[in-house]
C-alpha cells in the first residue's frame, strides 16, 4: 500500500526503484501502467491527471516487463510482434529488436526460426530456458518502442537469476534504452547502481533518493542495504542465487 508517496520521474532519464518486498514497488508500477487508478492523490503526466488520459492511448506509450512476464504459446515471431502489432509484418524492426535484446541468434537458431512455436505442447514446438524467455520478452518491449512506446519498465523479471546475470541484463537494458524514460524495479540494490537516479521505497513512501554515490555517502537505508548485499555477494564465489529484500 502506498501512502504519502511523492515522486518525480524525469522524461528521458532512467530511475531505479528499490526496496524490500512489500514496499510498494509493483503497486506503483501498476498505477503508472494504469491497470487501476489511485484511490487518493493523483498521477500526472506532463501536468495532466492520468485519469483524464485515454487508457488505451496511454498503454500504447508504455512497455513493461513484469516478474511474471507472459510466455505466449505462439511462434517466436508473434511473441516479439505482440509488442507492436502494427509492425508484425515487417521483419526489419523485429530483427532489430531481437538483436538489441540478445535474442536474434537464439530465434534464428530455432528449428523453424521465427516460425517456431515456443511450446512443447505443439508439434515441432520448443520450450526456452528462463533466461531465453527473458530475452524474448525484452525484444517484445523494445519493439514496442519502435511502435511508439516512450516509457519502459523492467519490474524484476530477473528474480530467478543470480546477481551477476541480473546485473548484466540491467546494464544491457540501460545501454539500449539510453534517452528513453526508463524505470527499473529491483530488491537487489547492487544491480541498479548505473541508473541516473535511485529511489528507495519503504512503508509505501519515498525514504531516500539520489544517485548511487550520493546515497552511499549519506550512510542511510540504501547504504546499509547495499553494503549488506555486497558483503553477502562477495562472500560466495558463485554469487547467491537469491537475495532477501
Amino acid at each position: 500500500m502506498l501512502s504519502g508517496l511523492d515522486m518525480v520521474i524525469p522524461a528521458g532519464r532512467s530511475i531505479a526503484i528499490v526496496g524490500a518486498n512489500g514496499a510498494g514497488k509493483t503497486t506503483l508500477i501498476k498505477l503508472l501502467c494504469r491497470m487501476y487508478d489511485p484511490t487518493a492523490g493523483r498521477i500526472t503526466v506532463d501536468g495532466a491527471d492520468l485519469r483524464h488520459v485515454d487508457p488505451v492511448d496511454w498503454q500504447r506509450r508504455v512497455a513493461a516487463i513484469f516478474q511474471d512476464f507472459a510466455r505466449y504459446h505462439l511462434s517466436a515471431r508473434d511473441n516479439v510482434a505482440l509488442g507492436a502489432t502494427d509492425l508484425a509484418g515487417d521483419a526489419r524492426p523485429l530483427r532489430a529488436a531481437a538483436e538489441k535484446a540478445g535474442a536474434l541468434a537464439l530465434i534464428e537458431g530455432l528449428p523453424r526460426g521465427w516460425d517456431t512455436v515456443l511450446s512443447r505442447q505443439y508439434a515441432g514446438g520448443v520450450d526456452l530456458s528462463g533466461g531465453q524467455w527473458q530475452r524474448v520478452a525484452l525484444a517484445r518491449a523494445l519493439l514496442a518502442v519502435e511502435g511508439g512506446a516512450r516509457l519502459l519498465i523492467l519490474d524484476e523479471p530477473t528474480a530467478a537469476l543470480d546477481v551477476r546475470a541480473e546485473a548484466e541484463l540491467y546494464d544491457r537494458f540501460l545501454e539500449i534504452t539510453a534517452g528513453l524514460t526508463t524505470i527499473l524495479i529491483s530488491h537487489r540494490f547492487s544491480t541498479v547502481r548505473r541508473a541516473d537516479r535511485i529511489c528507495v521505497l519503504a512503508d509505501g513512501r519515498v525514504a531516500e533518493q539520489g544517485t548511487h554515490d550520493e546515497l552511499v555517502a549519506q550512510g542511510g537505508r540504501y547504504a546499509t542495504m547495499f553494503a549488506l548485499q555486497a558483503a553477502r555477494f562477495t562472500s560466495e564465489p558463485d554469487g547467491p542465487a537469491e537475495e532477501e529484500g
Side-chain angles (χ1 to χ4, degrees), residues 9 26 28-35 43-45 50 53-66 82-85 137-138 140-155 173 180-183 185:
I9 300 174
T26 296
L28 173 60
I29 294 308
K30 289 181 177 179
L31 287 168
L32 289 174
C33 291
R34 207 175 171 196
M35 293 181 177
I43 300 172
T44 61
V45 179
L50 187 55
V53 177
D54 179 78
V56 174
D57 178 64
W58 172 249
Q59 288 166 1
R60 285 175 178 165
R61 296 160 60 185
V62 178
I65 309 175
F66 293 100
L82 284 172
T85 55
L138 180 55
R140 184 163 59 242
L142 294 175
L143 185 70
V145 174
E146 290 296 317
R150 289 297 175 264
L151 173 60
L152 274 74
I153 300 169
L154 199 63
D155 183 7
F173 186 74
L180 296 171
T181 307
T182 306
I183 301 175
I185 307 295

Side-chain angles (χ1 to χ4, degrees), residues 64-65 69-83 94 97-108 110 113-114 116-118 126-144 154 157 169 172:
I65 309 175
F69 58 85
R71 306 182 184 204
Y72 299 107
H73 292 185
L74 301 170
S75 69
R77 184 189 315 280
D78 289 341
N79 263 276
V80 176
L82 284 172
L94 268 69
E99 184 172 22
K100 288 180 181 178
L104 184 59
L106 161 68
I107 293 173
E108 295 191 339
L110 294 171
W114 286 87
T116 304
V117 176
L118 303 185
V126 301
D127 198 4
L128 304 180
S129 68
Q132 291 171 330
W133 272 115
Q134 285 157 356
R135 289 197 288 273
V136 171
L138 180 55
R140 184 163 59 242
L142 294 175
L143 185 70
L154 199 63
L169 178 62
R172 183 180 185 87

